[in-house]
Amino acid sequence: MSEPAQEFPPPPYTVQEVSTTQARKELSELVNQAVYGHVHTILTRDGRRLARIIPEEDAWFYTPQWQEKLAKAKDDITEGRTKTFDSMDEMFADLESER
C-alpha cells in the first residue's frame, strides 16, 4: 500500500507500507527496491509504523540536524518569513548581501 506524498518536502521517491510478516518473506526484494529504485518501505505491525528501509544515500534526510532545519523552514513559511525574487540574479545578490 502506498502512502501519499508529504506536503514538505515532496519526496523524490515512492513510499510503501509493508507488514513485518510480509517483509520477512520479501526482505531481499525490499532492499533491492530501496537501493535500485529509491523506494522507501515503512514496516508496520498491527497498523503501527515501526521502521523504514531506505537507501543509505537518503539517510541524511532523517538525521536530527536535517529534521530541525525542516521544522525551522516550515515555521518560517507559516510565519511569512520568506522573500520573493523576480530573477535568480536578484536572489543571489540578496544572499551575498547577507554574508
Side-chain angles (χ1 to χ4, degrees):
M1 170 199 290
S2 290
E3 166 187 275
Q6 299 170 358
E7 62 187 58
F8 181 82
Y13 47 81
T14 301
V15 178
Q16 63 184 351
E17 290 188 7
V18 174
S19 71
T20 54
T21 302
Q22 183 181 350
R24 273 193 292 274
K25 297 173 188 172
E26 301 175 5
L27 182 59
S28 66
E29 176 58 25
L30 296 173
V31 170
N32 283 338
Q33 288 177 3
V35 173
Y36 301 112
H38 282 278
V39 175
H40 289 206
T41 301
I42 300 170
L43 303 178
T44 63
R45 182 181 302 135
D46 299 325
R48 287 186 41 236
R49 292 174 167 199
L50 302 175
R52 286 182 186 246
I53 299 171
I54 63 168
E56 180 60 27
E57 64 192 47
D58 293 348
W60 60 269
F61 181 81
Y62 297 98
T63 62
Q65 298 85 355
W66 191 257
Q67 292 297 308
E68 184 178 317
K69 290 177 185 181
L70 288 174
K72 183 181 179 323
K74 282 182 184 180
D75 290 345
D76 287 344
I77 292 167
T78 300
E79 297 297 323
R81 295 185 296 260
T82 61
K83 296 180 182 179
T84 304
F85 302 97
D86 293 326
S87 69
M88 295 296 281
D89 290 337
E90 188 180 326
M91 180 194 70
F92 285 123
D94 184 73
L95 287 172
E96 286 295 322
S97 72
E98 292 183 8
R99 284 188 174 183

